[in-house]
Amino acid sequence: MWLVTPEQMRELDRRTIDEANIPGTTLMERAGSGVVTHLLQHYGSLKGKKVVVYCGKGNNGGDGLVVARLLQDKGAHLKVILFAPYKELSKDAKTMHQRLTKKPKPSQILVLPSQKKLESWTQEAHILIDGLLGTGISSSVRAPYTTAIQTMNASRAYTVAIDFPSGLDGQTGARLGSAVEADLTVTFGCPKVGLYVWNAIDLVGQIEVVDIGIPQTFIKDLKLHDCLLTQESVCALMPPRLPSAHKGTFGHAGIVAGSPGKTGAPALAGLGALRVGTGLVTVATPQSVAPIVEAKLLEIMTMAIPETPKHLLGPTAHKTLLRFCQDKSAVAIGPGMGVASSITKLLSQFLPEIDVPCVLDADALNNLISHLHVFSHMKHTPILTPHPGEMAKLLATTSSKKVNEDRIGIARKFATTRKVILVLKGANTVIANPQGEIVICPTGNAGMASAGMGDVLTGIISGLLAQGLAPWDAARAGVYLHGLSGDLGAHAIGEPGLIASDVISAIPHALNQTTAGKSEL
């Protein structure tokens, strides 16, 4: 599903009206109808519910007026607050105002109300509809909208944002002063990129997309490079499992990981690879910790690798690891490996020589901060999976906060410059490739902000690589399945107590849901 900027969406609207001859009022009616449909799905019956609709003077307010009229037909008790006099409304918003006021029992409409009246109506409401600004601003919110947004946020009512929560930048997701805290955001045509990044992640609530009839040819003409992962797109990437298959059919994943005190990381990565359907998995780890790793695993093989006096991998492991990789379909390197000059030297020599698809995570990245040239010398395009802190170290010029403020821009630039596939982990993980394409993953939840989750993701991606998926496909499918597994786990036990092994247990269910197209949530 393609992601657009507000400017691109305005161009799509313009072409639809001017070239496809679909009136703006028709698009507005479809948008309003979509909001009501999804509100009913998420909230339930609206009969007798007190609803207050906040409307600005532009088309976002016009959408709100449509919603008000349709909700009145559903038996809701409607009150509408206009933040501009009728004469200042947009042309289409005026039309929707006229249609609303011609109803047999018109809704109560208040224009530029006093603070006391605004608070009174809002505090009594069950549902609030935000039709104030949408994506129509790029600078700080000003009065009277600041007061309106603050009043909405002070209410306990269920809040629905039309197209985009007012007060957020539609492209960057940044909070522009005050911003609506929505429980549900219903967006139109194509989802806006700003819904999935920066401050918006905490403010948009559930996101639903409504098809309002934008011709697909117009969308294709934009030559978009950013998209949202969907169940359908990931399902198409999954490898077939024929009845005649055997364990060799589904590849052999190698996990190079672990060090003293960090034996859980290779175990979690290995189990992630196995649970995603890989036929064979072997963990290569320093010889002193190999017995501990082996004790944690039943279905996974281990291989003890020569180590340094500090029980870490080093140059003495070079030839052994090359042999280890020769019969593997894919390898993952880094979880729990530790950071040392011996490891840096090993990876600098070893990585350009292996002829197998590869995932580099955690300490593999931490050891290569000053050796980024290695990535472009590898025989297969590597998949890098940093979290924002590791990304900041790789860039050496920023902080994790700065990374999160521009996740898309940073991921795109690093992937194209270093010729890698970059999986920038975090809320709504961003995936970028050397061609500059960006994919955002909508699965996952805050319960996954705990130890070991990244190790599981590394295992899942390496397992998909081992089963024959191309690196770009394995990265996209792996991130989606990882997040969905976390969502299924959180649905079963809640977010606060979710741990990495819960996600591993949920991987088969995520695979079933993705390939069958049925929701288990």
Side-chain angles (χ1 to χ4, degrees):
M1 184 180 293
W2 293 112
L3 293 168
V4 299
T5 65
E7 183 179 355
Q8 289 169 331
M9 193 65 233
R10 283 190 284 272
E11 174 63 10
L12 290 173
D13 285 339
R14 183 198 65 76
R15 290 193 65 187
T16 302
I17 294 168
D18 294 345
E19 300 176 33
N21 297 315
I22 299 177
T25 52
T26 299
L27 298 180
M28 200 170 275
E29 287 284 356
R30 292 172 180 173
S33 177
V35 170
V36 174
T37 296
H38 287 295
L39 175 56
L40 286 166
Q41 290 175 353
H42 286 267
Y43 188 87
S45 174
L46 302 172
K47 188 174 182 179
K49 298 299 180 182
K50 297 178 181 179
V51 182
V52 177
V53 184
Y54 282 62
C55 296
K57 63 182 179 180
N59 287 343
N60 196 241
D63 295 334
L65 292 167
V66 175
V67 171
R69 173 164 45 84
L70 297 177
L71 288 180
Q72 185 172 305
D73 292 340
K74 298 294 182 182
H77 298 310
L78 262 295
K79 294 181 179 179
V80 178
I81 301 175
L82 286 179
F83 285 83
Y86 175 81
K87 65 181 181 180
E88 294 182 13
L89 299 182
S90 69
K91 178 183 176 182
D92 289 343
K94 286 180 179 177
T95 299
M96 297 310 167
H97 184 280
Q98 293 165 5
R99 292 180 183 178
L100 175 63
T101 55
K102 287 181 180 178
K103 296 285 291 182
K105 294 182 179 179
S107 305
Q108 288 182 266
I109 300 177
L110 196 62
V111 181
L112 293 171
S114 66
Q115 177 70 20
K116 184 177 180 180
K117 195 67 174 178
L118 183 67
E119 291 177 351
S120 174
W121 278 19
T122 301
Q123 291 303 317
E124 294 174 358
H126 297 106
I127 299 169
L128 301 177
I129 308 294
D130 165 29
L132 290 172
L133 300 169
T135 61
I137 62 168
S138 57
S139 58
S140 294
V141 177
R142 297 189 295 271
Y145 297 107
T146 302
T147 301
I149 291 171
Q150 292 172 349
T151 303
M152 292 179 74
N153 290 343
S155 170
R156 295 184 178 181
Y158 187 85
T159 302
V160 181
I162 297 176
D163 199 32
F164 206 91
S166 295
L168 289 175
D169 187 296
Q171 182 164 344
T172 68
R175 187 197 297 262
L176 302 172
S178 296
V180 169
E181 300 168 4
D183 297 293
L184 171 67
T185 297
V186 183
T187 195
F188 313 127
C190 296
K192 318 309 180 286
V193 66
L195 290 169
Y196 300 92
V197 292
W198 197 216
N199 300 134
I201 294 172
D202 293 325
L203 299 176
V204 296
Q206 295 290 316
I207 300 172
E208 298 287 359
V209 183
V210 173
D211 180 4
I212 57 173
I214 305 295
Q216 288 297 310
T217 53
F218 295 171
I219 297 174
K220 291 179 180 178
D221 288 345
L222 290 176
K223 295 181 171 56
L224 299 169
H225 297 286
D226 303 345
C227 68
L228 186 71
L229 277 176
T230 63
Q231 180 270 326
E232 292 80 10
S233 64
V234 174
C235 180
L237 301 176
M238 299 307 296
R241 298 186 76 86
L242 300 176
S244 61
H246 51 84
K247 62 185 178 183
T249 306
F250 303 117
H252 189 169
I255 312 291
V256 182
S259 63
K262 297 180 179 180
T263 57
L268 290 170
L271 288 168
L274 197 65
R275 278 295 193 184
V276 84
T278 312
L280 295 163
V281 179
T282 301
V283 172
T285 194
Q287 58 190 23
S288 63
V289 302
I292 303 171
V293 175
E294 186 169 357
K296 297 174 184 290
L297 303 169
L298 295 178
E299 301 91 347
I300 293 173
M301 298 174 284
T302 60
M303 181 175 180
I305 304 296
E307 60 185 28
T308 69
K310 294 183 178 181
H311 309 296
L312 302 173
L313 296 179
T316 56
H318 186 174
K319 292 183 179 179
T320 305
L321 285 176
L322 283 178
R323 290 195 298 271
F324 173 78
C325 291
Q326 285 178 351
D327 65 342
K328 303 300 181 295
S329 309
V331 295
I333 302 172
M337 183 180 281
V339 179
S341 58
S342 62
I343 302 175
T344 299
K345 185 175 181 180
L346 168 66
L347 294 177
S348 298
Q349 297 173 339
F350 166 64
L351 291 177
E353 296 177 350
I354 60 174
D355 191 9
V356 62
C358 184
V359 184
L360 300 177
D361 180 38
D363 287 338
L365 302 177
N366 291 326
N367 278 290
L368 293 171
I369 289 170
S370 299
H371 298 75
L372 303 186
H373 63 278
V374 170
F375 304 140
S376 61
H377 289 90
M378 295 178 67
K379 295 179 180 179
H380 295 261
T381 301
I383 301 172
L384 279 57
T385 60
H387 57 57
E390 291 163 345
M391 190 73 244
K393 292 178 182 178
L394 291 172
L395 295 173
T397 57
T398 188
S399 65
S400 58
K401 181 177 182 293
K402 290 293 184 183
V403 169
N404 280 327
E405 287 177 358
D406 186 22
R407 290 167 60 81
I408 291 175
I410 284 174
R412 195 192 317 268
K413 183 176 180 180
F414 193 91
T416 55
T417 302
R418 295 296 175 181
K419 306 302 179 186
V420 299
I421 292 168
L422 186 77
V423 174
L424 181 51
K425 296 183 290 195
N428 295 338
T429 292
V430 175
I431 313 163
N433 67 15
Q435 291 72 45
E437 297 175 307
I438 290 286
V439 170
I440 295 178
C441 180
T443 61
N445 61 82
M448 300 177 74
S450 66
M453 294 292 179
D455 303 321
V456 177
L457 173 62
T458 296
I460 291 174
I461 296 175
S462 63
L464 293 172
L465 281 175
Q467 293 176 66
L469 269 67
W472 180 234
D473 294 343
R476 291 182 292 161
V479 169
Y480 182 91
L481 289 168
H482 178 251
L484 181 56
S485 300
D487 290 340
L488 293 170
H491 181 72
I493 65 172
E495 291 185 8
L498 192 71
I499 61 176
S501 56
D502 298 323
V503 173
I504 291 172
S505 297
I507 293 172
H509 303 288
L511 283 168
N512 289 340
Q513 178 171 315
T514 300
T515 55
K518 297 179 181 178
S519 175
E520 296 184 20
L521 290 176

